[in-house]
Amino acid sequence: MLFSRIFGNPNNRYLKDIQPLINRINLLEPEFEKFSLAQLSEQGHKLQERFKSGESLDDLLVESFALVRESAKKTLKQRHFDCQLQAGIALHQGRVIEMKTGEGKTLAATAPVFLNALAGQGVHVITVNDYLARRDAIWMGQIYHLLGLSVGVLNHEQAFIYDPDFHEAGGKKDELRDQLGSFLVVQDFLRPCHRSEAYQADITYGTNNEFGFDYLRDNLVFRSSDKVQRSFNYAVIDEVDSILIDEARTPLIISQSESMRPEEYRIFARLADRLKENEDYNVDRKMKTVILTENGIDRAEKALGVDNLYHPQSIEQLHRVMNAVRAKELFLRDVDYLIREGEAIIVDEFTGRLMPGRRYSDGLHQAIEAKEGVEIKPESKTLATITIQNLFRMYSKLSGMTGTAMSAAEEFDKVYELDVKAIPTHRPMIRQDLPDRVYGKEEAKFKAVVQTIKEKHQQGQPVLVGTTSVEANEYLERLLGREGIPCRVLNAKQHEQEAQIIAQAGRQGQVTVATNMAGRGVDIILGGNPADPSEREKVLERGGLFVIGTERHESRRIDDQLRGRSGRQGEPGSSQFYLSLKNEIFPKSKNIVKYFGGERIEKLMTRFNLPEDQPIEHPLVSRSIESAQRRVEGFNFDIRKRLCEYDDVLNKHRQIVYRKRNSLIELFEQEDWSDRWRKLVEEVLSDVFERLISTHTAGAIDHWNIEEIAEQVRLILPHEDGIHRGLARMVKEKGSEAPAAMHQYLITQAMTAYREKEKSVDSVHLNALGRMLCLKFLDDLWSSHLTEMEELRQSVGLRAYAQREPLVEYQNESYRMFGDFMIRWKTSLANSIFRVKINIG
């Protein structure tokens, strides 16, 4: 407070600093008003050419904003207010803006979206649901289309391009404008397309889930032509606090359930039991690896009834055989795990403590359960995952808008490095927010809610009631029905009718009972019919929209969003929350009053001998509840912050793996792919041989295990004889300098063998072979690594009891685990290059 008095309000200073830009935009309006539609379109193309000629986006800002405003006037019959231009400038600068409900955030975003789309790298507009993505793309698409930009839309399993001429919809523009006034979308304006075409559009609308899951899926494809996205350039996020904060506690995950039945795991366990060490497989306990011999491969193929265990279609069965042998040889009962009450429980190798709940990943735990004959629990495989935080931090420039951002300014700054600015309203807000009413019991609360609704309905005042669950939603509908009060219900079951229900929520005497769906992204128009101002006047005379909240949320922002449905653009309106100390009707609902300060309020009611149907209604009570909400918000912020800190570690792994994956795809699509593939084979074999040699030549020469090195190499190069003699000769000739010579010797032998294999396979099949091996092993091992990292994250929390910081422990162990992951990938590749068989014809 003292800082603001001395230095002035930072928000006001910012608005003052950008005012000269607003003035320059306004000076262009008389000139631009004279432009025809064709001339506006021509100006749009000229701005694109000027950017290509070297002018910056900041250089083009004033003319771009003036052009968009004039285009909106001619297409939508709407004009950007100065406050909307202020919002647009802040969005262009990569900030989060707070604009009160009804101030026109959707229109405000058009100017910065158009300006940044001039760069030709794509602009993403993120919405909270598919309906809003379609609505805004069609509604605002009229501006962009006029100015020469294309607009794409992403919906769940669908993609569209905005096309005003599609299905002869061009003649429906007036109808479209009328319907958009009540938020009804004409689907005929959207032409179905492939997702990649929607992404190639200058501007693409969609939900955060669509952009996130497409990113993950793009990093699972085997060819670059199968990718749909392009670079993450600039994004404008509508309802930014909902997407970047409220939804940020849950990461996006692509997973698949394994379809193997328990009996199938037991088949592999019985097969492993029949195979013999040094005859069918070789175990290197020092490196903790298992490799099948030629004899073991033959026996496994006969037992499983497959012709080629190393054929791409049989790789999964090979993996199951290897798991079963690993479970048999490398995971010992009462050492690595215990059997307790029919369950295999892992023993921590560092502490010796049991780790109930943790399971080995990638089917290994199921292999152990099959070996021990206990119940085999199904496995789920995570293929890819990313948090909302790390998804959106990939954008070169990020901005967002919402009606409630200032209370979350700290989190925007600390997590996303986003500055928050509050934009003033076009007209002063006169909505009346009444103090909360707190009742002793939930039944009394709902009785009071129904009574208030009845009074407002009889007076002709529209009422919007917000509930926190579908069951409370439907319960209130039944109570109103008993009183003969008609109402419209909006919840997840009626989400397809959302537009029609919201369109009528501002009508005279209308009662709408809605879940949080009605809290974001929609404006309730008083009177319900923009074409009939008399209806609007009748509602205004009755006090505007009355909003009732039947429960406080954990976040003040969600309550404020519900309140914000009323009192838009200087209209009258009012809001009030009805709360209870006890939840006897919906005991599982989250009750802020009950958990924070409920006892004190209950003592007050007892002290003054208030009946249960007599509410406490005082500003002190409301402030007490808001104080409780702040504590909950702080707690949830800590949860999200910690999730982000853990995922930052995994994100480094993700970036390395995805870069590696993309480079591998690129390798096999280059003209000189065979030379690059041969070089990669040499690098992989070099690393594997180097680790193998260093592991078995540690210490004095007398303790070197040359025989084990030779045995492992023979399993990689199955047709190479004389390896042991060659290595022994190196030791005899070079002494302590032998490891370097041994390494060079093995590389020479391996690459000679590889060149021979190259001659036996045609170019097309060799390309397919290399691509399949590299990407399949990388994907499978990455999936295992994700599972292991999640299990590590869940387990390190217990180390706090040993006075060790869990996050530091996670960072240290994850570093080692990622090193092991990359080694396993190279080892898997090395073990398969000379064994995989190509069946041609």
Side-chain angles (χ1 to χ4, degrees), residues 680-697:
L680 176 62
V681 169
E682 185 173 353
E683 290 174 1
V684 167
L685 291 170
S686 176
D687 289 349
V688 170
F689 290 151
E690 182 178 8
R691 184 168 180 268
L692 180 62
I693 292 168
S694 64
T695 300
H696 293 288
T697 57

Side-chain angles (χ1 to χ4, degrees), residues 370-527:
K371 179 184 81 168
E372 297 293 347
V374 298
E375 179 188 358
I376 299 174
K377 297 179 180 178
E379 61 176 302
S380 181
K381 197 173 184 180
T382 299
L383 302 180
T385 179
I386 191 170
T387 59
I388 293 294
Q389 291 95 329
N390 279 316
L391 172 68
F392 284 104
R393 288 194 297 195
M394 289 193 297
Y395 282 91
S396 302
K397 183 166 68 174
L398 186 65
S399 65
M401 50 191 183
T402 180
T404 48
M406 296 306 290
S407 61
E410 180 185 4
E411 187 162 353
F412 283 123
D413 177 46
K414 289 186 175 180
V415 177
Y416 301 98
E417 297 182 352
L418 289 171
D419 185 26
V420 179
K421 296 300 178 187
I423 306 300
T425 57
H426 179 57
R427 295 189 181 95
M429 191 182 74
I430 59 173
R431 184 186 70 234
Q432 186 178 12
D433 295 326
L434 303 172
D436 297 348
R437 287 187 173 183
V438 182
Y439 293 81
K441 288 190 175 182
E442 201 168 21
E443 184 178 359
K445 177 188 76 174
F446 277 110
K447 185 177 179 181
V449 167
V450 171
Q451 182 59 36
T452 301
I453 293 172
K454 188 174 184 179
E455 291 172 3
K456 301 296 181 183
H457 174 67
Q458 290 173 348
Q459 294 168 11
Q461 186 175 7
V463 180
L464 172 66
V465 187
T467 65
T468 57
S469 66
V470 173
E471 58 179 353
N473 194 271
E474 295 175 341
Y475 173 74
L476 188 54
E477 180 188 17
R478 292 195 296 273
L479 293 181
L480 292 171
R482 291 172 193 166
E483 295 292 326
I485 302 171
C487 69
R488 298 292 300 273
V489 175
L490 176 60
N491 57 42
K493 295 180 180 179
Q494 292 90 18
H495 69 279
E496 290 297 332
Q497 291 80 42
E498 177 179 359
Q500 294 92 322
I501 294 173
I502 290 298
Q504 303 302 315
R507 291 180 62 189
Q508 188 179 175
Q510 180 68 51
V511 178
T512 307
V513 182
T515 55
N516 291 340
M517 293 175 69
R520 290 188 182 271
V522 293
D523 285 336
I524 295 174
I525 298 174
L526 298 187

Side-chain angles (χ1 to χ4, degrees), residues 42-284:
E42 183 182 352
Q43 289 296 319
H45 290 292
K46 284 182 178 179
L47 288 175
Q48 293 184 59
E49 293 304 318
R50 285 170 58 185
F51 178 82
K52 293 176 183 177
S53 300
E55 293 190 56
S56 70
L57 295 179
D58 287 340
D59 295 334
L60 303 175
L61 185 149
V62 171
E63 290 175 72
S64 292
F65 276 48
L67 185 64
V68 169
R69 175 155 70 181
E70 198 56 42
S71 299
K73 287 161 64 177
K74 285 189 166 56
T75 57
L76 307 180
K77 308 303 180 189
Q78 294 184 7
R79 177 185 178 275
H80 293 69
F81 301 127
D82 283 4
C83 60
Q84 290 171 311
L85 297 178
Q86 290 172 332
I89 292 170
L91 290 172
H92 165 66
Q93 294 173 346
R95 303 175 191 272
V96 167
I97 60 161
E98 177 176 285
M99 288 184 77
K100 297 303 179 186
T101 301
E103 291 296 307
K105 293 188 292 292
T106 306
L107 186 64
T110 55
V113 166
F114 169 75
L115 173 60
N116 283 269
L118 295 174
Q121 297 176 29
V123 173
H124 295 167
V125 183
I126 319 296
T127 64
V128 292
N129 59 47
D130 286 349
Y131 159 71
L132 289 176
R134 296 194 304 271
R135 184 202 77 177
D136 292 353
I138 295 174
W139 194 8
M140 301 299 129
Q142 297 173 78
I143 299 173
Y144 305 131
H145 186 266
L146 173 63
L147 297 178
L149 298 181
S150 55
V151 179
V153 183
L154 299 172
N155 276 185
H156 182 58
E157 297 183 350
Q158 292 178 305
F160 307 95
I161 290 291
Y162 170 69
D163 183 353
D165 297 321
F166 184 62
H167 281 182
E168 300 180 343
K172 299 181 181 179
K173 283 191 176 180
D174 291 335
E175 177 187 343
L176 169 67
R177 193 174 298 118
D178 292 341
Q179 289 176 320
L180 281 172
S182 57
F183 305 128
L184 300 176
V185 171
V186 180
Q187 195 76 9
D188 284 351
F189 285 82
L190 297 176
R191 170 175 59 81
C193 68
H194 190 270
R195 291 184 85 80
S196 60
E197 186 180 353
Y199 276 109
Q200 289 301 316
D202 297 303
I203 301 158
T204 306
Y205 284 82
T207 65
N208 56 305
N209 284 350
E210 295 304 311
F211 289 103
F213 283 122
D214 281 341
Y215 169 72
L216 295 177
R217 283 189 286 262
D218 272 1
N219 285 284
L220 291 171
V221 301
F222 273 47
R223 288 174 174 77
S224 57
S225 59
D226 293 331
K227 292 187 176 186
V228 297
Q229 286 187 333
R230 50 177 172 166
S231 61
F232 288 81
N233 173 41
Y234 172 57
V236 177
I237 305 176
D238 193 11
E239 306 300 346
V240 64
D241 55 333
S242 174
I243 290 172
L244 294 191
I245 294 179
D246 297 335
E247 296 186 28
R249 287 170 64 176
T250 306
L252 304 177
I253 299 173
I254 293 179
S255 62
Q256 67 179 29
S257 298
E258 294 295 330
S259 58
M260 278 185 61
R261 298 186 300 275
E263 182 55 34
E264 293 180 77
Y265 288 104
R266 296 191 177 97
I267 291 173
F268 287 106
R270 288 194 291 269
L271 170 61
D273 201 44
R274 294 197 299 270
L275 299 179
K276 299 178 182 178
E277 185 179 359
N278 298 326
E279 183 178 326
D280 300 314
Y281 57 86
N282 178 260
V283 181
D284 188 336

